[in-house]
Amino acid sequence: MIDKDNISLHISQQFNAELEDVRSHLLAMGGLVEKQVNDAVTALIEADSGLAVQVREIDSQTNQMERSIDEECIRILARRQPAASDLRLIISISKSVIDLERIGDEATKIAKRAILLCEEGESPRGYVEIRHIGEQVRRMVQEALDAFARFDADLALSVAQYDKTVDREYKTALRELVTYMMEDPRSISRVLNVIWVLRSLERIGDHARNIAELVIYLVRGTDVRHTGLARKKPAGEEGSGETPARD
């Protein structure tokens, strides 16, 4: 197991600086993406088309940050040929940046729907669910990034496990909205836009879970993808020799 205090203790100060830089750049991109999600949901709830336009404009910036961080990772791999925890750090950053870019894409989709709904000028059913699930996934993104910043595998585990709660609430909201459309066919167009927003929020939760799983891999060296996370416990509570069950 590693922590943030011993990840950059090499003889080469330049190597230390490169690792710290690329980690800082990832967290900076994460902060921007988190703001994108928050602003996209706010733009929809408050019918603020100007804010929605800003969210869409930020997308090109996050795309550029993804390319830049990816190039940094490739340069470090080529020059330093890192091993063990250093290699896990670079792999985790390289994969997390993809999930962050996709979170930005989903926030941009929400912003586009917000503009459409603003133009329709009527508050459709489903805003309560958007506000609630939007706050949940925003917190998942924030805590996944906090876990990365602090090398906190326990926090990452709680984020990954929480994704099932978001999935469950998304399905419940979906059933209610479909029932509402059947009762009032005139609402189909507007409610479909809300359903697409909820779908984007559910996908953001999935990407936050991916980042959390990469933090666990980084800190513990354990690949928990496709395992029974619901049965996993924080490091201090785990019994020896636990083998996670498959879903």
Side-chain angles (χ1 to χ4, degrees):
M1 184 176 293
I2 62 170
D3 58 46
K4 65 182 178 60
D5 295 324
N6 61 26
I7 189 68
S8 299
L9 295 175
H10 307 91
I11 295 175
S12 170
Q13 293 298 316
Q14 181 61 32
F15 189 15
N16 292 338
E18 289 172 5
L19 290 176
E20 188 54 38
D21 281 350
V22 72
R23 194 170 75 93
S24 297
H25 293 159
L26 173 80
L27 296 175
M29 180 181 176
L32 186 61
V33 167
E34 184 187 343
K35 183 177 185 305
Q36 250 188 310
V37 174
N38 190 54
D39 286 352
V41 173
T42 300
L44 182 66
I45 299 296
E46 298 182 1
D48 187 341
S49 57
L51 185 59
V53 170
Q54 290 178 29
V55 172
R56 294 179 61 180
E57 291 174 347
I58 290 174
D59 192 48
S60 60
Q61 187 178 346
T62 57
N63 290 343
Q64 176 57 42
M65 292 176 86
E66 182 208 6
R67 288 193 293 270
S68 175
I69 294 169
D70 196 44
E71 288 170 3
E72 283 185 78
C73 291
I74 292 171
R75 279 198 297 271
I76 291 173
L77 287 170
R79 290 179 182 174
R80 306 295 181 179
Q81 299 181 351
S85 59
D86 294 335
L87 180 59
R88 295 206 302 274
L89 176 63
I90 296 302
I91 290 173
S92 299
I93 290 174
S94 181
K95 291 187 175 181
S96 292
V97 79
I98 295 171
D99 281 297
L100 286 177
E101 191 274 335
R102 289 176 181 169
I103 290 173
D105 286 346
E106 296 297 339
T108 301
K109 291 178 186 176
I110 294 172
K112 290 178 181 175
R113 300 286 172 185
I115 293 170
L116 286 174
L117 290 166
C118 286
E119 290 172 351
E120 289 180 357
E122 186 176 351
S123 296
R125 192 183 181 97
Y127 276 24
V128 172
E129 289 83 355
I130 288 174
R131 185 192 295 276
H132 179 62
I133 296 177
E135 174 58 25
Q136 288 179 315
V137 300
R138 187 201 63 77
R139 187 176 300 173
M140 285 180 69
V141 173
Q142 179 190 50
E143 292 185 350
L145 292 168
D146 285 348
F148 212 122
R150 305 202 304 259
F151 286 58
D152 187 338
D154 290 343
L155 177 59
L157 178 60
S158 72
V159 172
Q161 290 172 329
Y162 196 75
D163 186 45
K164 284 190 178 297
T165 301
V166 171
D167 289 348
R168 191 164 51 246
E169 295 196 11
Y170 163 69
K171 290 175 182 175
T172 300
L174 206 58
R175 283 196 295 271
E176 291 175 356
L177 290 170
V178 169
T179 300
Y180 181 72
M181 284 192 294
M182 292 171 66
E183 293 173 349
D184 182 8
R186 295 170 301 174
S187 69
I188 288 176
S189 174
R190 287 181 284 114
V191 175
L192 279 177
N193 279 320
V194 174
I195 288 175
W196 283 115
V197 169
L198 289 170
R199 173 61 179 161
S200 288
L201 291 173
E202 190 270 340
R203 291 294 300 145
I204 290 171
D206 290 343
H207 291 302
R209 170 185 165 135
N210 291 345
I211 295 171
E213 290 176 344
L214 286 166
V215 174
I216 297 170
Y217 167 71
L218 166 63
V219 177
R220 299 182 182 171
T222 304
D223 186 351
V224 297
R225 293 175 299 172
H226 315 300
T227 62
L229 282 173
R231 302 183 187 182
K232 296 288 288 182
K233 297 179 180 178
E237 301 174 20
E238 284 185 334
S240 60
E242 178 187 3
T243 301
R246 292 280 181 185
D247 277 332

